[in-house]
Amino acid sequence: MSKKHKHFETAVIHEGYDSKEMLGSLTTPLFQTSTYTFDSAQQGERRFAGEEEGYVYSRIGNPTVTVLEERIAKLENGERGLAFGSGMAAVSAVLIALTKAGDHIVCSSGLYGCTFGLLTMMKDKYNISHDFSTMESKEEIRSLIRPETSLIYVETPINPTMKLIDLQLVAEVAKEYGIPVVVDNTFSTPYLQRPLELGADVVVHSATKYIGGHGDVVAGLVVGKKDFLDSVAMTTQKDIGGVMSPFDAWLLIRGLKTLAIRLDRHCDNAERVFEKLRKHPKVANAYYPGDGRHPDYPIKEKQMKRGGGLISFEIKGTKADAQAMLNKLSFLKLAVSLGDAETLIQHPATMTHAVVPEESRNKMGITDQLIRLSVGLEAWEDIWEDLEQALDQV
Ligand code: LCS
């Protein structure tokens, strides 16, 4: 196996893969197979018993997927990685593994819409309740923890409000109670933020976003301690079965190689577009964690390398004005998802967070005027020109 690489930019290209083991193939081969042959019935028995290493069936493991799992584990500085068929498959595998009927979850006061939907379903079906916390102080988190609280779940930056949570502070409280902290690191990726180094126990990703980076795959990843991920691998991954296809792993291995350079460009573009956007007369508020005026900027300075590629902003006016602006865009893409080469723009209240009831949306800060912008890799001047002409027409 390859040695541990010191620099992130090298690790995204080399970790978890040794070409000498693969007939010298420079790129990771695509093992597009569902199953694996045994030399004898006894070998099959030993493999199923876990007495001999080797692949048995691609829901339980695949060599292409293994390379990706080892690479993401190294990048997040965790012990083991696991790959899933979507970000939600990853989130649900972790949440189901860590809870039983009657348990309780403390979560950040903003979450991706489908994560909110999953928590609502778990409450309705299994009486697993949850409370939202701003996580602004230790006292506030402590006040919500009950004997049956089995985990703390955090998104930071929060989709789509771009508020931040202090991960070290949350991890310190969780340690007092001996409960794990799960962090959705989709918006930052390990290039900008490494929650496990700040005391979190598990990291989840929608790899659909920056990790893939090219808008051509839906996928999820989990990283954490070996014992916990071994148990997830044998339960909520193997038996619920939301695994990643080998081809999707192959695409993600390719995407990851440029993660660092892509993210630097996403950040450069977002910083420049934000400076213009915040001054536009039709924009009431604009939120970017890399901006020194952002209320959570001190948290950004503590735990994020840069501010990321996402901006959200509120239009002066109504929902109709926000929709009118989106309809006036020329080449920027009106679409959900984020982290792609193309700049993507969407209306959270009616799209990604439409499943969140209006009252909860308002509490989270998702107003009808809020627009989320995933700044792409195009020339920033072109991105701004399109946004400006659309805003001018509102
Ligand atoms: N976590 C976060 C923070 C997300 O933004 C998403 C998807 C997921 C988990 C789920 O990942 P998936 O299953 O889609 O791979 N977020 C989306 C968004 O903001 N627009 O479209 C999807």
Side-chain angles (χ1 to χ4, degrees):
M1 268 296 117
S2 51
K3 70 179 177 62
K4 182 160 170 34
H5 297 284
K6 280 198 198 106
H7 292 98
F8 191 90
E9 292 79 354
T10 310
V12 287
I13 297 168
H14 292 283
E15 273 302 343
Y17 180 65
D18 186 349
S19 57
K20 288 196 208 75
E21 292 173 2
M22 296 290 173
L23 304 172
S25 174
L26 175 69
T27 60
T28 310
L30 169 57
F31 285 86
Q32 190 70 23
T33 186
S34 57
T35 196
Y36 307 83
T37 58
F38 306 125
D39 293 340
S40 65
Q42 288 77 7
Q43 185 187 51
E45 182 179 6
R46 285 195 302 277
R47 288 209 177 160
F48 269 88
E51 292 162 8
E52 179 186 298
E53 287 222 350
Y55 293 95
V56 298
Y57 184 63
S58 279
R59 180 158 43 73
I60 302 165
N62 171 281
T64 310
V65 177
T66 302
V67 171
L68 176 67
E69 290 176 336
E70 290 188 5
R71 192 163 293 175
I72 191 68
K74 287 284 170 22
L75 298 178
E76 285 285 6
N77 210 357
E79 291 175 6
R80 186 173 177 187
L82 286 178
F84 291 83
S86 70
M88 287 317 302
V91 172
S92 57
V94 168
L95 289 186
I96 294 167
L98 287 173
T99 52
K100 60 181 186 320
D103 276 356
H104 172 252
I105 300 172
V106 175
C107 46
S108 50
S109 55
L111 292 171
Y112 169 56
C114 293
T115 307
F116 182 92
L118 174 68
L119 288 174
T120 307
M121 184 192 78
M122 288 170 75
K123 186 174 170 189
D124 294 344
K125 290 191 76 158
Y126 306 114
N127 190 29
I128 298 167
S129 57
H130 55 267
D131 276 307
F132 293 105
S133 166
T134 63
M135 304 198 182
E136 277 167 7
S137 72
K138 289 187 173 180
E139 292 68 39
E140 198 231 346
I141 305 171
R142 286 189 194 114
S143 73
L144 293 170
I145 292 180
R146 310 182 199 157
E148 62 273 23
T149 304
S150 56
L151 73 125
I152 300 181
Y153 188 91
V154 178
E155 225 173 74
T156 180
I158 294 175
N159 184 359
T161 55
M162 306 311 294
K163 291 178 187 160
L164 304 184
I165 304 279
D166 183 335
L167 290 174
Q168 214 172 349
L169 179 141
V170 175
E172 281 168 15
V173 179
K175 293 231 158 36
E176 291 170 16
Y177 296 86
I179 52 176
V181 177
V182 180
V183 178
D184 185 329
N185 204 25
T186 299
F187 272 35
S188 299
T189 84
Y191 182 57
L192 300 180
Q193 169 176 281
R194 286 189 287 281
L196 301 178
E197 293 177 359
L198 298 162
D201 300 279
V202 184
V203 166
V204 293
H205 279 283
S206 168
T208 315
K209 313 294 162 34
Y210 290 106
I211 289 178
H214 294 75
D216 48 17
V217 58
V218 171
L221 292 165
V222 178
V223 182
K225 295 230 164 54
K226 187 174 178 308
D227 284 356
F228 174 61
L229 288 215
D230 285 353
S231 82
V232 170
M234 295 315 289
T235 58
T236 50
Q237 187 186 46
K238 174 172 76 66
D239 297 337
I240 296 180
V243 293
M244 184 183 287
S245 87
F247 182 57
D248 288 351
W250 188 88
L251 286 172
L252 293 169
I253 290 165
R254 185 167 72 160
L256 261 181
K257 291 183 188 185
T258 54
L259 181 70
I261 55 172
R262 282 189 286 108
L263 263 171
D264 272 331
R265 178 62 178 263
H266 281 296
C267 293
D268 290 345
N269 280 356
E271 285 167 10
R272 293 187 172 110
V273 168
F274 178 79
E275 271 312 305
K276 295 284 188 187
L277 195 60
R278 73 177 188 86
K279 292 184 202 139
H280 193 282
K282 301 282 172 57
V283 172
N285 298 296
Y287 310 100
Y288 179 60
D291 169 39
R293 290 159 289 240
H294 189 294
D296 299 331
Y297 187 72
I299 302 177
K300 183 256 144 200
E301 285 290 273
K302 254 178 92 176
Q303 67 191 31
M304 289 175 76
K305 184 181 163 89
R306 297 187 68 181
L310 282 138
I311 295 171
S312 59
F313 60 97
E314 279 165 316
I315 294 267
K316 280 183 192 155
T318 61
K319 171 179 160 186
D321 293 315
Q323 290 182 324
M325 185 261 166
L326 294 172
N327 289 337
K328 295 290 182 197
L329 291 163
S330 143
F331 83 96
L332 299 186
K333 304 300 181 208
L334 179 53
V336 295
S337 202
L338 57 103
D340 292 334
E342 295 83 359
T343 294
L344 304 179
I345 192 161
Q346 64 112 4
H347 185 241
T350 59
M351 296 179 185
T352 50
H353 292 70
V355 297
V356 180
E358 195 178 351
E359 196 195 332
S360 303
R361 272 206 312 270
N362 288 336
K363 277 193 202 146
M364 290 178 182
I366 306 171
T367 63
D368 281 352
Q369 294 80 30
L370 189 76
I371 288 174
R372 190 189 73 188
L373 178 69
S374 168
V375 181
L377 300 176
E378 305 95 336
W380 77 268
E381 295 91 336
D382 293 334
I383 300 172
W384 172 243
E385 191 181 275
D386 200 9
L387 286 170
E388 187 180 35
Q389 64 79 23
L391 283 165
D392 286 345
Q393 293 184 66
V394 174

